[in-house]
Amino acid sequence: MFYNSDQFWCLAYPWSRVVPAELQSYLRGDFMAKNIIQNHGPLLSKYYSWGDGQKIANDEEHTHGNPEEMKKYNMTPYDFISEGDSPAYFQLLDVGLRSKNNPEYGGWGGRMVQSKVNPKRWEDGKNITDYNPYTKKQDASYPQTRWIEALQLDFAARAAWCVKPYNQANHAPEISVKEGTALSVKPGKQIEINAMASDPDKNQVNLISGNIRRPGLARKM
């Protein structure tokens, strides 16, 4: 069982107060309209966003499509509204981060730790933080906020699949690691990891080379 109490806010209604300014462009109307909502078929045209003029029938609380209501909250047309429940689903997505194997690794659904009172429960909280490079502080939302760019670019790619044939759309590259993805080393030891990538669209894939450090482990890529 997953209990997400803090990290999901980056995809809920107050996202503009949680997501770093440097990442907010992926949730703003310019990106949403061009890459997801407009000209992406009848399904995506119904995706609710700020000031889009849409109204959920018999839902008095859904006023976000009203341009006047939009202005009250300093939002602009087609700005992202909320997908606050989506992180629960993101835990099921296998994007190569192995968070399905161990929620402490972290992934698109956030990073959790095992409850001290219920071993079947994984949870976040004020003490579950990652270093936010934009604010240079430990941040209880950043374990999930850090994936905003990846999430939205993946969403945009899938939106394109709705209207483009396979050979005109973009697809994720396939990545493999020569040494495998489960390595055990002593704290402080430096190891070498060789990653390889191929792209189904025959696009060039750039692998970033450098040192990645985590507590007790230095990994060279």
Side-chain angles (χ1 to χ4, degrees):
M1 178 176 67
F2 297 102
Y3 179 72
N4 190 326
S5 64
D6 284 85
Q7 297 170 21
F8 81 98
W9 287 112
C10 69
L11 290 168
Y13 293 103
W15 65 264
S16 59
R17 302 196 300 270
V18 178
V19 176
E22 293 84 352
L23 297 174
Q24 289 191 13
S25 61
Y26 294 101
L27 297 168
R28 290 298 178 187
D30 288 346
F31 179 89
M32 296 291 298
K34 177 181 177 181
N35 298 287
I36 295 173
I37 298 173
Q38 295 179 342
N39 304 314
H40 284 82
L43 178 62
L44 274 301
S45 69
K46 295 182 179 298
Y47 187 86
Y48 295 114
S49 60
W50 280 103
D52 61 7
Q54 299 191 85
K55 179 76 172 65
I56 299 177
N58 302 317
D59 186 349
E60 297 303 321
E61 294 183 355
H62 182 234
T63 59
H64 310 81
N66 186 323
E68 295 304 316
E69 191 76 5
M70 172 192 73
K71 294 176 183 178
K72 292 180 183 178
Y73 295 93
N74 297 317
M75 307 303 279
T76 58
Y78 299 107
D79 278 354
F80 177 86
I81 297 178
S82 174
E83 287 279 5
D85 294 326
S86 291
Y89 170 76
F90 293 156
Q91 292 285 356
L92 304 176
L93 297 180
D94 184 3
V95 292
L97 298 170
R98 301 183 66 214
S99 58
K100 287 176 64 178
N101 299 66
N102 188 335
E104 288 191 37
Y105 294 163
W108 287 7
R111 186 167 65 84
M112 311 291 167
V113 298
Q114 196 170 28
S115 169
K116 295 181 180 180
V117 297
N118 183 352
K120 294 184 178 181
R121 170 175 159 138
W122 294 82
E123 57 194 18
D124 66 349
K126 298 298 183 183
N127 61 324
I128 312 303
T129 64
D130 278 354
Y131 178 74
N132 184 331
Y134 302 106
T135 63
K136 296 181 171 37
K137 298 178 181 179
Q138 291 296 123
D139 185 341
S141 294
Y142 200 68
Q144 187 153 38
T145 305
R146 68 192 313 153
W147 304 113
I148 289 293
E149 179 181 8
L151 284 165
Q152 289 299 92
L153 290 178
D154 185 79
F155 191 1
R158 292 172 184 274
W161 298 352
C162 294
V163 293
K164 292 184 178 181
Y166 184 92
N167 61 358
Q168 293 181 20
N170 193 30
H171 304 85
E174 298 176 358
I175 301 174
S176 61
V177 179
K178 181 179 179 181
E179 293 78 12
T181 57
L183 304 176
S184 297
V185 298
K186 294 181 179 179
K189 182 180 179 181
Q190 182 169 295
I191 62 175
E192 185 173 296
I193 296 176
N194 295 282
M196 294 151 285
S198 61
D199 189 87
D201 306 316
K202 308 302 181 184
N203 294 325
Q204 180 179 344
V205 180
N206 296 320
L207 293 177
I208 300 175
S209 176
N211 290 321
I212 299 178
R213 296 185 177 274
R214 299 185 69 181
L217 174 64
R219 295 186 297 174
K220 185 178 181 182
M221 298 185 67

